Amino acid sequence: MPVLKTLLVSALATTVISTGHVDIGPRFVDDRWTLQVYDDPTWRDADSTVLQVTDDALLTVPDDPAYAFLPAKPGSDVYVIPQTQNPDVVWLGWNTQDPEVMETIDRGVTMTLTGVQGPGELTVYLQSGDFEQPQVLWPKPIWVDVNTHTHANWVFTEPGVYLVQLKLEADLIDGRTVSDTRELRFAVGSGTSPEDARAATWRPVKAAATPARAGTAEESGGVSTGVLIAAGALLLAAASGLVVARGRGAKRRARA
């Protein structure tokens, strides 16, 4: 079990976070709109922050047809950052509560998942209660109102290094439009080196390429790229049960 929430790796100027409350969100740094990581109470640079998802996040895929949508086979394990906090696992969400952001933006922020690089698949979804239908996030951009604080379920199918690229855009009260794109760095699995996650490099997908379908992976420079964005009531109910029924779930509004 992790003893410290945050570990500073001085040689790489890297912050490794394995437990506790963490948000991503926009800020103005030197008057520039920037996506940062809020390691309560400190905002950190996304490029030098690694989110470590240890083996305490492991859950088993049930031998149930309801979970057939998962690329992982029944009886295999997946890594889950849950919507409801598990004290042994990093608790990842997002917020639009920075004071300068709240005073400057017009209504809210658009958040877009623009890509994932890693050895397995990723799905992210929200659920307001045990019996409510979950909302699978992305590939469509999602709308986040100003002064919002939300946590979600993040499910990784394999251990390894993942880079999750997110874009935050907003219209400002003064008429300007601002945008920033950053990669979140994940070291999934206790055996995955946070230093490797810090050193990983984003490999842009060629313009002609199409997104990977659910349950497939694209290869780019030797790094598997996987994004599982699924839909349908069966899928959603199953994804909900995977996390919530094991006891380890903030409702947000999606904009088409």
Side-chain angles (χ1 to χ4, degrees), residues 224-250:
S224 296
T225 303
V227 183
L228 174 61
I229 305 295
L234 179 62
L235 181 159
L236 297 173
S240 170
L242 178 63
V243 177
V244 177
R246 294 293 298 269
R248 286 291 195 188

Side-chain angles (χ1 to χ4, degrees), residues 185-211:
R185 299 173 179 273
F186 294 85
V188 177
S190 295
T192 300
S193 167
E195 289 84 355
D196 289 345
R198 174 65 177 89
T201 302
W202 180 259
R203 294 175 172 83
V205 178
K206 295 181 180 179
T210 57

Side-chain angles (χ1 to χ4, degrees), residues 36-65:
Q36 290 199 317
V37 177
Y38 183 61
D39 174 19
D40 192 3
T42 303
W43 285 96
R44 302 188 184 277
D45 181 75
D47 293 337
S48 59
T49 302
V50 174
L51 301 172
Q52 186 175 34
V53 185
T54 68
D55 290 351
D56 289 310
L58 282 168
L59 296 174
T60 301
V61 178
D63 187 8
D64 187 323

Side-chain angles (χ1 to χ4, degrees), residues 5-158:
K5 171 185 174 180
T6 302
L7 172 65
L8 296 179
V9 183
S10 58
L12 296 175
T14 301
T15 302
V16 181
I17 308 172
S18 60
T19 60
H21 181 199
V22 178
D23 290 330
I24 56 175
R27 293 187 72 220
F28 287 95
V29 178
D30 297 328
D31 296 324
R32 180 181 177 182
W33 175 264
T34 305
L35 186 158
Q36 290 199 317
V37 177
Y38 183 61
D39 174 19
D40 192 3
T42 303
W43 285 96
R44 302 188 184 277
D45 181 75
D47 293 337
S48 59
T49 302
V50 174
L51 301 172
Q52 186 175 34
V53 185
T54 68
D55 290 351
D56 289 310
L58 282 168
L59 296 174
T60 301
V61 178
D63 187 8
D64 187 323
Y67 294 91
F69 70 90
L70 287 172
K73 295 180 180 180
S76 60
D77 292 330
V78 292
Y79 294 81
V80 181
I81 300 175
Q83 183 171 334
T84 299
Q85 186 174 18
N86 172 355
D88 297 329
V89 178
V90 64
W91 189 33
L92 180 62
W94 53 86
N95 79 64
T96 52
Q97 295 180 318
D98 178 78
E100 187 175 0
V101 167
M102 290 195 296
E103 293 174 359
T104 308
I105 64 175
D106 181 14
R107 299 193 306 119
V109 173
T110 299
M111 184 164 62
T112 306
L113 176 70
T114 56
V116 175
Q117 290 180 181
E121 309 287 345
L122 167 67
T123 184
V124 184
Y125 69 93
L126 291 164
Q127 186 183 20
S128 18
D130 291 355
F131 302 103
E132 294 293 327
Q133 288 294 316
Q135 297 173 298
V136 177
L137 305 182
W138 299 301
K140 292 184 177 181
I142 64 172
W143 174 257
V144 183
D145 286 316
V146 67
N147 197 21
T148 291
H149 180 204
T150 301
H151 284 262
N153 302 288
W154 306 67
V155 182
F156 299 88
T157 61
E158 301 288 343

